[in-house]
Amino acid sequence: MTLAPVYLLSSDDPFLKTDRSTKIMTQARSLYPDAELMIFTASDFGSGVSANLSVLEGELIDPGLFGGSRIIKIYLSEIEKSISVQVLHLLSKYTREGLVCIVDLPRMKADYNKAIKSPKPYSDDLKGQLGAKAKQVVSFLGNIGASLEIMYPPEGNELKSFIRDRAHNEYALNVDDAAVEVLALNCEGNLVAVDQFLQIAKLSSNDLITTETVNAYLNHNSRYSGFEFTDAVLNAQTPRALNILSSLKETEGSSLSQVLMQIISGFDNALNAIYDLKHKSDLLKGYSNYAARAAFFAPRRILSPHSQDAIILAAKNMPDDLYDYLVQSLAEASAAVKFFDIEKAFMYLQNMAVSVKHFRQISSFRGMLCQ
């Protein structure tokens, strides 16, 4: 078993990145059982033009007698940013036995595949604009054997194949064709929802999943599956939002942190859409227009009409102080999950669910509460 020194995991789907990252870390743990896990986010490197890389560099350099095995996970918001380029440039400078770095990135352009497949020796000097510099550091990473994986959410027949393959490979389950069709349609490409269903189905003694299995799950378990948390909060359905969180605590087990990150990612996507509706779109002037709605929401992968309605109403009626509170609380919840403090993450999400009740007296928000 061999591992690349650096993995660049690029996707707009958090499940794909989390699942792949987990597999890499499992491999790394088997090779380096004493490896220390280090987690960095973009904010750890500062916010100025020059990134503060001293801590990361100290972890990359072999500490000698003090034990050098490291698994380093780095979350970056965009590759074509000054801090991101500097971080990746540093990673391309150091490689050694016992060091595995995983970089979580949004979806990158396909032409970065050409950069990593055209490896170039490390150089301190980077030339051109940020995009050109980013491709240079990716080519430097290619020179040390780094891996770039640009992952796209499966759709259509690819989604059906994903369901079959994951059921068989991860859970030793078989899914008949009709069940695959129903599951693909109802989960709307939500891969965490698919995986959660398979986990629950595995508890059954029957290794064949039929439409009856799927329908029973959809009719009962999915009511509080956790994927409706954003809608519940935006619609001021506090009891429902709290019930969703409570059910997750009881049923998710070892996959809880993964599901929480999916919830956080989905809520973050909704908050970004609210901001864009307020400041960058004319959609609020005629949001009943189907074509305009589709043009706005499709690139953001917000497909449910119920979710779209909740976001539009929030953009029209949510006061700025509530919006700012939700943004801050979500950031705190995300940081808590990344540092494995699940209880603290739940606390922030619960506070978000309750927070809408404190704004009932604000007339501009009353319209959303009445929906």
Side-chain angles (χ1 to χ4, degrees):
M1 181 193 340
T2 58
L3 284 170
V6 178
Y7 289 87
L8 304 180
L9 305 183
S10 168
S11 180
D12 286 334
D13 191 305
F15 176 85
L16 292 175
K17 290 188 289 188
T18 301
D19 186 61
R20 180 65 180 125
S21 177
T22 299
K23 287 182 169 62
I24 295 168
M25 286 194 282
T26 299
Q27 285 184 282
R29 285 287 186 204
S30 66
L31 286 176
Y32 313 115
D34 298 324
E36 184 177 350
L37 174 64
M38 309 292 297
I39 298 178
F40 295 88
T41 64
S43 61
D44 292 321
F45 305 116
S47 57
V49 175
S50 296
N52 182 359
L53 302 175
S54 58
V55 176
L56 176 59
E57 186 170 23
E59 298 300 334
L60 297 175
I61 298 172
D62 190 347
L65 296 177
F66 299 101
S69 298
R70 295 286 187 274
I71 301 171
I72 298 177
K73 182 76 178 285
I74 302 173
Y75 293 87
L76 297 176
S77 59
E78 184 182 337
I79 191 168
E80 294 183 5
K81 278 193 172 182
S82 178
I83 286 181
S84 299
V85 169
Q86 291 173 68
V87 169
L88 297 179
H89 195 197
L90 185 68
L91 295 184
S92 71
K93 185 176 181 179
Y94 297 101
T95 180
R96 59 179 175 81
E97 183 68 20
L99 177 65
V100 179
C101 299
I102 304 168
V103 184
D104 183 302
L105 286 156
R107 189 172 66 184
M108 297 158 54
K109 298 175 183 176
D111 55 4
Y112 278 94
N113 280 314
K114 297 179 181 178
I116 204 162
K117 292 177 181 177
S118 304
K120 297 178 182 177
Y122 175 86
S123 171
D124 284 329
D125 296 324
L126 298 176
K127 300 178 180 179
Q129 301 298 316
L130 272 176
K133 290 179 178 179
K135 290 183 175 64
Q136 288 173 57
V137 298
V138 169
S139 72
F140 297 165
L141 286 166
N143 191 59
I144 65 171
S147 172
L148 170 60
E149 301 179 23
I150 302 177
M151 298 171 282
Y152 301 91
E155 298 177 346
N157 289 331
E158 289 184 357
L159 176 58
K160 296 172 188 176
S161 295
F162 172 88
I163 294 170
R164 293 189 186 92
D165 292 344
R166 189 157 187 86
H168 183 266
N169 297 334
E170 299 293 331
Y171 300 104
L173 295 170
N174 293 310
V175 190
D176 69 27
D177 290 343
V180 168
E181 293 282 348
V182 174
L183 192 59
L185 177 64
N186 282 275
C187 289
E188 295 182 339
N190 190 325
L191 303 185
V192 172
V194 171
D195 193 62
Q196 182 185 19
F197 164 74
L198 294 174
Q199 291 180 50
I200 294 173
K202 182 61 178 176
L203 300 177
S204 170
S205 58
N206 189 352
D207 291 337
L208 176 63
I209 297 174
T210 65
T211 53
E212 288 77 11
T213 313
V214 176
N215 287 330
Y217 169 79
L218 293 173
N219 290 334
H220 297 91
N221 299 76
S222 65
R223 290 182 302 166
Y224 301 124
S225 63
F227 310 114
E228 299 174 11
F229 178 75
T230 298
D231 291 357
V233 173
L234 294 184
N235 285 314
Q237 298 171 331
T238 295
R240 179 170 177 78
L242 293 175
N243 282 337
I244 290 170
L245 294 176
S246 178
S247 69
L248 288 177
K249 272 191 173 182
E250 297 172 2
T251 62
E252 287 305 321
S254 61
S255 68
L256 182 54
S257 61
Q258 179 174 295
V259 175
L260 286 177
M261 284 308 299
Q262 178 71 15
I263 291 172
I264 289 168
S265 176
F267 209 114
D268 183 62
N269 197 24
L271 289 175
N272 287 332
I274 290 170
Y275 181 89
D276 288 346
L277 280 171
K278 282 177 172 287
H279 302 285
K280 302 179 181 180
S281 172
D282 293 327
L283 189 61
L284 295 183
K285 298 176 181 178
Y287 67 81
S288 60
N289 184 291
Y290 176 82
R293 282 176 65 130
F296 179 83
F297 285 108
R300 294 165 172 81
R301 295 189 59 78
I302 300 173
L303 306 178
S304 165
H306 297 295
S307 297
Q308 294 174 7
D309 288 343
I311 289 168
I312 289 170
L313 286 170
K316 288 172 67 69
N317 302 311
M318 183 182 289
D320 290 341
D321 49 354
L322 175 54
Y323 179 86
D324 293 341
Y325 175 81
L326 293 176
V327 169
Q328 180 62 36
S329 296
L330 193 69
E332 297 286 359
S334 177
V337 174
K338 289 174 182 176
F339 288 94
F340 309 107
D341 193 339
I342 301 302
E343 287 302 317
K344 182 178 285 188
F346 265 105
M347 181 192 72
Y348 282 113
L349 292 174
Q350 288 165 346
N351 288 345
M352 292 167 63
V354 173
S355 68
V356 293
K357 293 294 185 183
H358 299 311
F359 293 84
R360 283 188 177 275
Q361 302 306 315
I362 300 178
S363 59
S364 62
F365 194 47
R366 191 181 299 277
M368 191 180 87
L369 294 174
C370 295
Q371 297 300 317

